[in-house]
Amino acid sequence: MIPILMNRRLGVASRTLAAIGGGYAVTSLAVTALALTLPGREVDRVVAATLSGLAIFPCIVMWSFATRTALRAWLGVLAVALALGAVVWLGGGL
């Protein structure tokens, strides 16, 4: 009973770290990528990208807890972060 309970608690803790830390990283990369790639004036791009970040973060958090395992949550967050990092890197960064 105790090993199962401990394993479940570690899974929840891992998902929580993926949701909070990974969600923050993915959101900041997404906002940066959008600010670099959206058309329009600079101020409009930054505002639109920042407002989209308010929707991206909760989606990452919900997705982290919707997956079957904590490993899938981490792999998904890392895959999205790598893709967005490539967009930022190719877009010239800030």
Side-chain angles (χ1 to χ4, degrees):
M1 175 75 174
I2 295 203
I4 294 172
L5 184 61
M6 225 18 199
N7 198 14
R8 184 174 291 177
R9 286 183 181 177
L10 288 175
V12 171
S14 181
R15 287 174 193 260
T16 303
L17 287 174
I20 295 171
Y24 179 80
V26 167
T27 302
S28 64
L29 284 169
V31 167
T32 304
L34 284 171
L36 289 172
T37 58
L38 286 175
R41 295 183 313 160
E42 185 176 332
V43 66
D44 294 333
R45 292 186 318 216
V46 171
V47 169
T50 303
L51 288 175
S52 69
L54 295 173
I56 293 170
F57 186 76
C59 289
I60 295 292
V61 170
M62 287 185 288
W63 186 81
S64 293
F65 285 97
T67 59
R68 286 185 183 262
T69 63
L71 179 63
R72 285 188 184 186
W74 277 106
L75 290 176
V77 168
L78 286 174
V80 173
L82 287 174
L84 289 169
V87 170
V88 170
W89 184 61
L90 293 174
L94 289 177

